[in-house]
Amino acid sequence: MHKLESIAEQIRHDFDARTAARDKALAAARQLTRACSLAIRAAHRLETEGMADQLNEAGSLAEALRAELKNYPDLYHAGYTQDALKEFVEANATCALIQGQALPTPGQLGVGGATYLNGLAEVVGELRRRTLDILRHGYSQEAERLLGLMDDIYGVLVSMDYPDAITNGLRRQTDVARSIIEKTRGDITFSLRGEHLEQSIGKLIDQLNDGRGDDGKSTGTFIVHEDE
């Protein structure tokens, strides 16, 4: 029985270490998620300095999270850890695309393929948000650019025809992205048609004004035919 107690003590020691690592990971994951959220908010507000600061903080937190869980791969691949890293991907990709910069790679972000793609799927919603902000001020080529990026992301997502156990539920995220893109395409089309209509009305008003004198009365010539 003495040997059994020794075995139990070793297990307790391992459990204590794993519990401590898990608690640290949970705290780091919450901090990482918050930094990513603030970075995205700054990007939408075009606050480049604040965005960069939050991305730097998120990068440090993500690196610390990976280091803390290096010896605990099961905790690293747990849902809360991967969800936080997915937010990390979303923040970096969103900020880069809104700023017109190159998309960061999985290697640069230190994440696996499934986490990267799920994070990328979330970017579609953020690009829609940015597009709607732009359309509030009228149609713009920037909205078309963002829609093109959304289409590019969807094209990659829909090509990943693998089981959910491999992609971590990417298929559902892909369906959501498709719905978001179609709504955004409709919004852009509506805005473009509205602009065309406004331009047509403006031209018509100019033509009508050109046919009037300074007193606002028509200067057109009326021909009256006398009876023979």
Side-chain angles (χ1 to χ4, degrees):
M1 294 301 293
H2 176 71
K3 184 177 181 180
L4 177 58
E5 184 59 33
S6 176
I7 293 172
E9 186 60 29
Q10 291 176 2
I11 293 174
R12 290 190 190 96
H13 179 74
D14 177 64
F15 282 178
D16 286 342
R18 292 173 63 81
T19 300
R22 178 180 180 276
D23 291 343
K24 287 184 178 179
L26 283 169
R30 286 193 292 268
Q31 290 178 319
L32 176 56
T33 299
R34 181 176 182 277
C36 292
S37 177
L38 292 175
I40 291 174
R41 185 175 70 174
H44 283 297
R45 295 179 177 180
L46 303 180
E47 299 171 354
T48 55
E49 185 175 348
M51 178 193 72
D53 290 342
Q54 293 299 330
L55 286 180
N56 288 334
E57 181 179 352
S60 298
L61 290 168
E63 183 60 32
L65 185 60
R66 285 190 289 265
E68 290 170 1
L69 299 180
K70 183 178 181 180
N71 296 324
Y72 304 100
D74 56 330
L75 296 180
Y76 176 76
H77 291 287
Y80 58 86
T81 304
Q82 293 303 308
D83 284 345
L85 291 174
K86 180 183 71 173
E87 297 292 329
F88 181 57
V89 173
E90 179 186 357
N92 278 273
T94 297
C95 293
L97 294 179
I98 287 179
Q99 295 290 317
Q101 300 171 354
L103 192 67
T105 66
Q108 290 172 330
L109 299 178
V111 299
T115 300
Y116 182 82
L117 291 176
N118 277 279
L120 207 58
E122 298 283 354
V123 173
V124 172
E126 294 300 334
L127 294 184
R128 169 175 169 75
R129 176 183 170 188
R130 177 61 187 153
T131 300
L132 293 180
D133 285 343
I134 292 171
L135 293 180
R136 287 171 55 199
H137 304 287
Y139 172 77
S140 168
Q141 284 295 326
E142 176 65 6
E144 292 283 2
R145 183 185 76 86
L146 295 176
L147 179 61
L149 293 173
M150 295 164 71
D151 280 331
D152 291 343
I153 291 173
Y154 176 74
V156 171
L157 297 179
V158 77
S159 70
M160 298 295 169
D161 189 18
Y162 297 95
D164 284 347
I166 300 298
T167 64
N168 196 22
L170 182 63
R171 187 172 302 171
R172 183 183 65 83
Q173 292 289 85
T174 301
D175 290 340
V176 172
R178 179 181 61 185
S179 176
I180 290 173
I181 292 171
E182 290 308 311
K183 288 179 181 178
T184 307
R185 196 185 313 280
D187 291 331
I188 292 177
T189 300
F190 182 79
S191 177
L192 180 59
R193 288 178 176 175
E195 180 169 307
H196 287 167
L197 178 60
E198 185 176 346
Q199 291 175 352
S200 297
I201 292 174
K203 290 180 181 179
L204 179 59
I205 291 175
D206 290 341
Q207 291 174 357
L208 292 174
N209 288 336
D210 288 342
R212 296 177 180 274
D214 294 337
D215 58 357
K217 296 181 180 180
S218 175
T219 58
T221 303
F222 293 92
I223 301 177
V224 179
H225 296 278
E226 297 180 356
D227 294 334
E228 294 181 352

